[in-house]
Amino acid sequence: MSDQAESPYGQPEQHPKAAEFAKLRAAIADERVREHFPFRFLAANETFARLVDATAHRILASIGALPSTDGISVQQAKQELSIPWRRTIPLHFLYEKLSDSGILARDGGRFVPGPVAVPVFDDVAAELAAREPGAAVAVEILQTLIDEAKKFFAGEATGDEILFAPAQLPLWLKYFSNDNLLYSINNKVGAEALSRLVPADGGIEILEIGGGCGSGAEQVLRTLGSDVKRYRFTEVAETFARHGEKAAAAAASPSTTVESARIDMTLPWAAQGVEPGTFDAVYAVNCFHVAPDLDFVVAEAAKALKPGGAVVVSECVRPTKLARPIHAEIIFDFLDSFTDVITDPVKRPTHGFLTPAAWRATFEAAGLGDVTILPDVDAIAEEYPDFVVGAVIARAAR
């Protein structure tokens, strides 16, 4: 198939060629998983990455933090602009992301202008919206960050206050949706992982933690159908929970028992109605990485499993060998809930998305074994560094 047939949307220097996408797909050894990563998704992902670059540049420009030819360090920007200490985490990300893209360059501990041109935000936003209308909500969220950057970096409002204000709720309902290809990939890979846990006679019982607006439950229940005997949807935020409950109920097979509950994963689960040893699978989509104490949450998940059961987390997964910013982090690095976590040099070296090595260490410390990543993110990243989607499966002893 020609590059033109596969990539009719832009210039080669703006997008990987079809041959590069083909090489990536060939690196996904599992055929069933490979089909969840079509050229359409890969192209949208590349476009979103360029939009993040354009956003990062606009934010730095709006707060007067772009480097001159003399360069600038994070510490210098913090001091000169009176940026509160907690705000240096997203500030550091912005510089790192633009440096990774070549828009900025490193000169010792300073960032200087780089050789790569800055993408035009409006042009890339229009391109993403034209290609994937369901993903266009990301443009609105990024625009919100740009509009509110001065207030955020001045310490006048937190990221949660900006991004999760009541008026922003419709954006998140659209973002955490199976209509948004950039997000739904996590739901698809997670459902694929769960499908491999179904016993021969069906009848799997699943506990979902942090189900949000319900798109993860919706995908699982439609994919597994009557193989799901019981599905317990849980979410701590009342507004999201109401949407999630409706989505789960609508997607379930008539033979599936759908339950719902408000569960705070940071508190003992048994006290919130999760009896130990009662589920075949504990499932979470882009949730566990925000746990302030991940060891506690994983231990609670392990307690909920029947013998031989499994914990499945479907997340952005940071390739172990590549210390690079992940473009989706531009949104979440603005949130204290994403960054304010207990770290560990092996199990959780940094806030945010974990590496396969960190997930293995975390699950094994909780007594869960046979840890696998579907697909093998580390192996694929050797061919395509921006591959960061995977489901981590960890099993309890029988």
Side-chain angles (χ1 to χ4, degrees), residues 269-318:
W269 295 10
Q272 301 177 79
V274 179
E275 295 185 15
T278 54
F279 289 93
D280 299 296
V282 173
Y283 180 51
V285 179
N286 279 325
C287 173
F288 277 16
H289 67 261
V290 300
D293 185 345
L294 183 58
D295 286 340
F296 172 83
V297 170
V298 171
E300 291 296 295
K303 292 175 188 176
L305 294 176
K306 298 176 184 178
V311 177
V312 176
V313 294
S314 185
E315 302 230 358
C316 285
V317 179
R318 190 187 308 278

Side-chain angles (χ1 to χ4, degrees), residues 8-24:
Y9 46 75
Q11 299 301 313
E13 64 268 18
Q14 294 181 317
H15 299 273
K17 297 179 181 178
E20 294 180 52
F21 282 152
K23 187 177 182 181
L24 162 60

Side-chain angles (χ1 to χ4, degrees), residues 2 12 21 26 33 46 49 51 55 65-66 69 216 238 245 265 298 387 396:
S2 70
F21 282 152
V33 175
E46 291 290 336
L51 185 64
T55 301
L66 281 176
T69 54
E238 183 65 32
E245 290 167 353
M265 68 178 176
V298 171
F387 191 91

Side-chain angles (χ1 to χ4, degrees), residues 233-293:
F233 173 89
T234 73
E235 167 58 40
V236 68
E238 183 65 32
T239 304
F240 285 164
R242 290 196 299 269
H243 289 273
E245 290 167 353
K246 292 178 182 178
S253 166
S255 63
T256 299
T257 299
V258 177
E259 305 166 349
S260 63
R262 306 293 183 269
I263 291 181
D264 183 341
M265 68 178 176
T266 68
L267 301 175
W269 295 10
Q272 301 177 79
V274 179
E275 295 185 15
T278 54
F279 289 93
D280 299 296
V282 173
Y283 180 51
V285 179
N286 279 325
C287 173
F288 277 16
H289 67 261
V290 300
D293 185 345

